[in-house]
Amino acid sequence: MAVEPKRRAQLVEATIHEIGATGSLNVTVSQIAKRAGVSSALAFHYFGDKEQIFLAAMRSILTVYAAEVRGALTAADGPRARLEGMVRASFSASNFRRDAIAAWLNFYVLARTSDEACRLLSVYQRRLRSNLVHDLRPLAGDAAPALAERLGGLIDGLYLRHALDPATDADGQAAAAQVLTALDHELKALAR
Amino acid sequence: MAVEPKRRAQLVEATIHEIGATGSLNVTVSQIAKRAGVSSALAFHYFGDKEQIFLAAMRSILTVYAAEVRGALTAADGPRARLEGMVRASFSASNFRRDAIAAWLNFYVLARTSDEACRLLSVYQRRLRSNLVHDLRPLAGDAAPALAERLGGLIDGLYLRHALDPATDADGQAAAAQVLTALDHELKALAR
DNA sequence: CGGGTTTGATTGACCCGTCAATCAAGTTTC
DNA sequence: GAAACTTGATTGACGGGTCAATCAAACCCG
């Protein structure tokens, strides 16, 4: 009993790791299963087919991310602090792992062929946007929606750029700082 | 005579188109060849292997883009105008085609496994960055490099976001406007 | 010019490895 | 002992890459 969720978790983690290592979705179920220490048949037993495995991995990453943002939001007070928390969470250590970034990038690709993947990604974007707008409103008023668009785009863009660089690690911080700088400048410009 | 370059061009275009249609690099050489109206063996004859076909497609896109930027730069005068030209070129009709965006996204994925693809992408990023810094310098002084990083990230991010949206077409213009707005706000903030 | 030869263009058929998915049988667990 | 769990073996399809062979145009030589 209760072995099932454990196996599922193992397989999901192995999937993310393997996608990170390969850098693409060209990952065989056997590779995933081997890394998880089980047979490929078991993966099919639990998930049905390969796409479900990928989707489960994607949900896992999104769930972790969402939890991180939620934590940062409740810990902060005032719109500015909340925005900062959001941004920092986006570039936090667990989201900025090499394999997580690679997986993330590949989920964008997956979204082009899988409706469900597209849906999941849309949920992420809508939530990010909604969070940003909510806390930008008191600071930027009517400019909030457009500004949120820019900040969201900047976050995604910096993320994407770090998906390449094989050298840079550890600078989720630098990226987060860039976003916050952009935010400050935008607000300052607005104030005059 | 001169039939070879024609075939190569056909195959390259077919590759981009096919990647755009599939939304991934899971494209068989046969599919590409069929769309180009030749046999798969011919594709291998000219390009050697599949990766070379992809790389040729990538170079093609980058070349078109570079030409467009160059054109915009010579037509503009003054740093501000040149920056605007650069941004507009990035979101111009030929770069913002559905299949070009999809191909672009997938080249990021390819770059994770192909050194040459990674190199090509780096060249693009360096050139963009260098262009931006060059024309930002007179406007932003020492803040130019960091600002260029943000603008470049924003461009990539907006590009990425439009790689998903199946609905949105035609708004290269809107995206370009967002980048220019960000630029204006940044400069205004800098002016204090 | 006109037959013969080289050279590039092009193909269909084929080989071989890989991989998703299945299945029947074995093992654990309660 | 049955239900859940797990596996190795197998299969059927598919795709990259090769090869031997055709085709056509250009080139050469008398």
Side-chain angles (χ1 to χ4, degrees):
Chain A
M1 41 131 139
V3 54
E4 167 162 357
K6 177 160 55 170
R7 292 281 175 275
R8 291 187 100 102
Q10 285 174 356
L11 283 165
V12 161
E13 190 176 347
T15 303
I16 297 172
H17 207 296
E18 205 65 27
I19 292 178
T22 310
S24 79
L25 296 178
N26 290 336
V27 176
T28 71
V29 178
S30 303
Q31 285 170 23
I32 294 173
K34 179 186 268 186
R35 186 181 290 263
V38 300
S39 82
S40 69
L42 191 66
F44 285 106
H45 172 65
Y46 280 132
F47 290 96
D49 66 11
K50 200 184 179 182
E51 179 169 329
Q52 294 306 314
I53 302 179
F54 283 154
L55 289 176
M58 198 169 159
R59 280 192 208 96
S60 164
I61 286 190
L62 288 174
T63 301
V64 169
Y65 169 72
E68 206 136 351
V69 169
R70 211 175 318 121
L73 284 185
T74 61
D77 99 340
R80 168 58 217 234
R82 285 165 57 88
L83 288 168
E84 179 159 346
M86 245 184 286
V87 172
R88 294 229 124 90
S90 294
F91 295 100
S92 75
S94 49
N95 289 105
F96 225 62
R97 281 156 44 212
R98 281 209 84 39
D99 47 3
I101 296 183
W104 190 265
L105 174 58
N106 279 283
F107 291 153
Y108 267 84
V109 173
L110 183 62
R112 307 252 329 168
T113 54
S114 159
D115 286 353
E116 180 64 5
C118 190
R119 219 194 95 257
L120 289 175
L121 229 42
S122 300
V123 169
Y124 150 75
Q125 286 193 346
R126 257 201 306 282
R127 191 158 43 197
L128 173 60
R129 182 188 155 76
S130 149
N131 281 339
L132 285 173
V133 171
H134 175 268
D135 285 311
L136 281 172
R137 185 79 65 182
L139 301 175
D142 288 347
L147 178 50
E149 200 67 28
R150 292 195 288 276
L151 288 180
L154 180 54
I155 290 176
D156 286 3
L158 292 180
Y159 219 91
L160 176 63
R161 283 176 165 228
H162 281 270
L164 277 191
D165 249 317
T168 9
D169 286 323
D171 349 24
Q173 295 319 306
Q178 281 281 46
V179 177
L180 292 175
T181 303
L183 170 62
D184 286 340
H185 288 180
E186 289 263 8
L187 292 179
K188 200 192 275 186
L190 204 74
R192 47 177 270 121
Chain B
M1 11 53 202
V3 53
E4 167 162 356
K6 177 159 56 169
R7 292 283 174 273
R8 291 187 100 102
Q10 285 174 358
L11 283 166
V12 162
E13 190 176 348
T15 303
I16 297 172
H17 207 296
E18 205 64 26
I19 292 178
T22 311
S24 79
L25 296 178
N26 288 338
V27 177
T28 71
V29 177
S30 303
Q31 284 170 25
I32 295 174
K34 179 185 267 187
R35 187 183 290 263
V38 299
S39 81
S40 71
L42 191 65
F44 284 110
H45 173 64
Y46 280 134
F47 290 96
D49 65 10
K50 198 182 179 182
E51 179 170 327
Q52 294 306 313
I53 302 180
F54 283 154
L55 290 176
M58 198 169 158
R59 282 193 206 95
S60 164
I61 286 190
L62 287 173
T63 300
V64 169
Y65 170 72
E68 206 135 353
V69 169
R70 212 174 316 122
L73 284 185
T74 61
D77 99 339
R80 168 58 216 233
R82 285 165 56 87
L83 287 169
E84 180 159 345
M86 247 184 291
V87 171
R88 293 229 124 90
S90 294
F91 294 101
S92 75
S94 50
N95 289 105
F96 225 62
R97 279 157 44 211
R98 279 208 89 34
D99 48 3
I101 295 183
W104 190 264
L105 174 59
N106 280 284
F107 291 152
Y108 267 85
V109 173
L110 183 61
R112 307 252 330 167
T113 54
S114 159
D115 286 353
E116 180 64 5
C118 190
R119 220 194 94 256
L120 289 174
L121 229 43
S122 301
V123 168
Y124 150 74
Q125 285 193 348
R126 256 200 308 280
R127 190 157 45 197
L128 173 60
R129 182 188 157 75
S130 150
N131 282 338
L132 286 173
V133 171
H134 176 267
D135 286 311
L136 281 172
R137 185 78 64 182
L139 300 175
D142 288 347
L147 179 49
E149 200 67 27
R150 291 195 288 275
L151 288 179
L154 181 54
I155 290 175
D156 285 3
L158 292 180
Y159 218 84
L160 175 63
R161 283 176 165 227
H162 282 271
L164 277 192
D165 248 317
T168 11
D169 285 322
D171 17 9
Q173 295 320 305
Q178 280 281 46
V179 177
L180 293 174
T181 303
L183 170 61
D184 286 342
H185 288 180
E186 288 264 6
L187 292 179
K188 201 193 276 189
L190 202 74
R192 203 350 157 160

